[in-house]
Amino acid sequence: MFHVKHQAPSLCCHPGLLISWHGVSQFSFAMPTIDIVLNLTAQQCRSYYAGEAEHIHTHSPDGRKVLLPARALHRIVGPSGVQGIYRMTYDDNGRFVSLKRIGAL
């Protein structure tokens, strides 16, 4: 899908391309996201670090099942593990891009 803020001459847009016209054209790609719930103890996180599993099975707040690569925990794990609601961004092929905390449990 694309969004055009102001009417512009004939444009051919890639799905996911956001366009806004403010004298100069600005292009920004919107990647798909899903909110997920993570509630992992420090011990569970250590097992992912040890390579005991490549993926984490979790879910969205509305119950959809989500498979998250274990390497995604490296930047967010704390002394007590990982607890919270996170926004996972992924590319058009379904590959993990980023994870950002958006709320507490």
Side-chain angles (χ1 to χ4, degrees):
M1 246 174 106
F2 66 92
H3 171 70
V4 179
K5 272 195 147 179
H6 297 286
Q7 205 61 12
S10 161
L11 295 172
C12 178
C13 297
H14 178 275
L17 181 65
L18 297 175
I19 301 174
S20 61
W21 297 93
H22 300 284
V24 177
S25 40
Q26 301 172 0
F27 297 94
S28 164
F29 287 94
M31 295 184 128
T33 63
I34 187 169
D35 294 349
I36 59 172
V37 176
L38 289 174
N39 191 12
L40 303 169
T41 65
Q43 180 59 38
Q44 288 172 309
C45 292
R46 279 191 287 276
S47 69
Y48 291 120
Y49 274 113
E52 294 175 19
E54 289 184 33
H55 296 94
I56 300 161
H57 295 268
T58 188
H59 61 88
S60 66
D62 63 3
R64 292 178 284 168
K65 294 179 182 180
V66 179
L67 193 62
L68 176 71
R71 65 181 168 80
L73 294 180
H74 293 179
R75 293 186 179 171
I76 62 170
V77 68
S80 62
V82 178
Q83 293 83 28
I85 300 173
Y86 290 80
R87 179 152 299 141
M88 183 175 85
T89 303
Y90 53 96
D91 66 18
D92 290 334
N93 296 316
R95 292 193 178 107
F96 173 80
V97 173
S98 66
L99 198 58
K100 179 181 178 184
R101 189 167 198 260
I102 60 169
L105 289 180

